[in-house]
Amino acid sequence: MRITMIGSGYVGLVSGTCFAEFGHEVTCVDKDESKIQSLSKGIIPIYEPGLETLIRKNVDNNRLKFTTDIKTAIGTADVIYIAVGTPSRRGDGHADLSYVYEVAEEIGRSLKKHAVIATKSTVPVGTGQKIMTCLNKINPLLETDVVSNPEFLREGSAIEDFMNPDRVIIGASSERAKEIMKELYRPLISREVPVLFTNLETAELIKYASNAFLATKIAFINEIADLCEKCNADIQSVSKGMGMDKRIGEKFLHAGPGYGGSCFPKDTLALTATAKEFLSSVSIVEAVVQSNNQRKQSMAHRIIKAMQEDINQKTIAILGVTFKPNTDDMRESPSLDIIPVLQSKGAKINIFDPQGQKEGINLLPGVKWCQDPYAAMQNADSAVIITEWPEFSALNLARMKESLKHPLIIDLRNIYQPEEMEKAGFTYYSIGRTSVRPIIPSIIKAA
Ligand code: UGA
């Protein structure tokens, strides 16, 4: 089948490449000429493990190409994916759909035969219907099927998520569209990956509800972690014990500095805006948004407290600034809330991140970027782990201690064990685990 993927950002690039790997003929379109030129030469604008190799392989096999010529790419496709960005609109948190409708209008003008038009971008309920209206208005004779096919890729493991998904969601109303989508996903269907067919609105909502639910799990466990610190409980074991219940599940119960990234913060906010529009209440999601914002802000104070409330002219080594490991993405990363507060109190910041410098350099002014973790820790008064890059859990403790001026570690991702760190001579603070005697309120003591 011939697929045109409009938008060669993260979602479009990964999905387009994986469809080419399935054997389809894929054209990825973007209006950014320099990006298309780089991609055609095999230079990838994002860091995603395995993506570069897969792109090169499929370009070499002539199944994947890149262009800025949207008209030609639309004209020849059996399935046209809309995979452009839907950022948060300033002021009201609604998803900004201007790029989506711009593309829909271009499809209306350039398409001369039947094609399925599928949204991969995360779009609020009702967008598919509006795209249909837009196409009918521009070309009433055009025969198209509009489909919602949301993606559930995680940055850092996107190819694995695409190739081995828990499910594929397809919101389509006509039998013809369903058949075409089945053909598209045939390699997954033949491996018995579950495919759920729904109407357009349901598929659109599944995406938001899934992200909001995962965000809720994280915000929930972060609040429980705070409680653990006050009552001598251990969050790692609480998460484990909860996760053993199959109804709850063990995933996304890892306490940390709050969720970031290009999806959860934007999508939870957009869901609250959609609910308002439909006069429906999502008070739980509103609470999650608020709880996560507070969480990110509270992390800087946690560090300041661990450093005895005095960080003026002190050097703090920050290990990891991306919103999670295995990505170079800094969007909504907790580090962007934490570091400016530390700087405003006079701290000097050394940073090491395996991939974060390229994006971080403009977002975090006045910091010193270091080439390895030990260089960041050299003569620093403390080290703070913000992102759990795998290499940080295998650091040489003796060398760390030697590098730091004071052996103080604040681990916001719980990658080390308190006993191990204390034994190695560190003062070690982590999340939801008490390494010092807790203050138990008298009411509990009496009981
Ligand atoms: C998320 C979803 O997981 C994907 O299913 C979805 O397709 C994607 O959004 C999207 O809508 O495009 P992603 O943003 O790449 O994927 O990252 P996650 O792995 O979900 O992590 C998001 C944030 O939550 C990170 O800041 C991470 O550190 C944090 N997190 C995650 C925790 O703090 N604790 C956890 O247990 C899990």
Side-chain angles (χ1 to χ4, degrees), residues 151-155 207 211 214 218 252-254 258-260 263-264 267 323-324 413:
E151 57 79 22
F152 301 96
L153 313 174
R154 286 163 305 167
E155 290 189 22
K207 169 70 190 188
N211 272 4
L214 292 170
I218 300 168
F252 280 68
L253 286 179
H254 195 84
Y259 60 77
C263 305
F264 288 173
D267 294 349
F323 84 97
K324 67 174 195 176
R413 296 287 185 171

Side-chain angles (χ1 to χ4, degrees), residues 10-11 122 150-157 161 167 207 210-211 214-215 217-219 221-222 250-267 292 322-325 329 331-334 386-388 413:
Y10 189 81
V11 171
T122 300
E151 57 79 22
F152 301 96
L153 313 174
R154 286 163 305 167
E155 290 189 22
S157 50
D161 286 350
R167 79 304 206 186
K207 169 70 190 188
S210 302
N211 272 4
L214 292 170
K217 273 187 112 174
I218 300 168
I221 207 67
N222 283 341
E250 62 185 5
K251 305 250 169 79
F252 280 68
L253 286 179
H254 195 84
Y259 60 77
S262 63
C263 305
F264 288 173
K266 164 177 81 73
D267 294 349
N292 194 62
T322 51
F323 84 97
K324 67 174 195 176
D329 199 337
R331 283 176 286 180
E332 305 284 337
S333 174
I386 300 186
T387 314
E388 71 280 31
R413 296 287 185 171

Side-chain angles (χ1 to χ4, degrees), residues 221-280:
I221 207 67
N222 283 341
E223 290 194 355
I224 297 294
D226 282 351
L227 180 56
C228 283
E229 285 169 18
K230 297 192 172 125
C231 68
N232 196 27
D234 179 286
I235 191 62
Q236 304 288 99
S237 302
V238 171
S239 297
K240 199 166 173 193
M242 284 172 66
M244 283 169 164
D245 185 330
K246 290 198 181 69
R247 294 169 302 174
I248 297 173
E250 62 185 5
K251 305 250 169 79
F252 280 68
L253 286 179
H254 195 84
Y259 60 77
S262 63
C263 305
F264 288 173
K266 164 177 81 73
D267 294 349
T268 43
L269 216 54
L271 184 57
T272 62
T274 300
K276 270 200 195 98
E277 221 171 75
F278 284 89
L279 302 178
S280 198

Side-chain angles (χ1 to χ4, degrees), residues 178-373:
K178 285 183 200 166
E179 288 310 313
I180 292 175
M181 294 306 283
K182 273 189 203 161
E183 184 58 30
L184 199 61
Y185 279 103
R186 191 207 287 267
L188 295 188
I189 293 171
S190 63
R191 279 198 275 122
E192 301 199 355
V193 167
V195 178
L196 181 66
F197 285 98
T198 67
N199 69 10
L200 262 176
E201 290 78 5
T202 307
E204 287 167 345
L205 194 54
I206 286 172
K207 169 70 190 188
Y208 278 99
S210 302
N211 272 4
F213 190 77
L214 292 170
T216 304
K217 273 187 112 174
I218 300 168
F220 178 87
I221 207 67
N222 283 341
E223 290 194 355
I224 297 294
D226 282 351
L227 180 56
C228 283
E229 285 169 18
K230 297 192 172 125
C231 68
N232 196 27
D234 179 286
I235 191 62
Q236 304 288 99
S237 302
V238 171
S239 297
K240 199 166 173 193
M242 284 172 66
M244 283 169 164
D245 185 330
K246 290 198 181 69
R247 294 169 302 174
I248 297 173
E250 62 185 5
K251 305 250 169 79
F252 280 68
L253 286 179
H254 195 84
Y259 60 77
S262 63
C263 305
F264 288 173
K266 164 177 81 73
D267 294 349
T268 43
L269 216 54
L271 184 57
T272 62
T274 300
K276 270 200 195 98
E277 221 171 75
F278 284 89
L279 302 178
S280 198
S281 162
V282 285
S283 58
I284 293 175
V285 184
E286 281 168 16
V288 166
V289 171
Q290 203 191 2
S291 167
N292 194 62
N293 287 341
Q294 275 166 6
R295 175 113 195 132
K296 290 206 262 184
Q297 281 154 25
S298 71
M299 289 297 119
H301 301 292
R302 187 180 274 263
I303 297 163
I304 296 168
K305 200 166 157 208
M307 295 181 73
Q308 315 292 325
E309 307 285 343
D310 177 20
I311 62 166
N312 191 25
Q313 293 305 309
K314 300 272 164 69
T315 301
I316 303 176
I318 302 283
L319 303 186
V321 286
T322 51
F323 84 97
K324 67 174 195 176
N326 294 321
T327 178
D328 56 359
D329 199 337
M330 293 284 298
R331 283 176 286 180
E332 305 284 337
S333 174
S335 65
L336 299 176
D337 288 273
I338 298 169
I339 293 169
V341 176
L342 302 178
Q343 286 174 309
S344 74
K345 307 271 180 211
K348 296 184 216 157
I349 306 292
N350 291 349
I351 299 179
F352 171 71
D353 187 289
Q355 293 293 334
Q357 182 170 350
K358 198 171 87 197
E359 261 195 51
I361 210 153
N362 293 322
L363 299 168
L364 293 166
V367 304
K368 180 175 161 199
W369 292 92
C370 303
Q371 289 317 303
D372 67 70

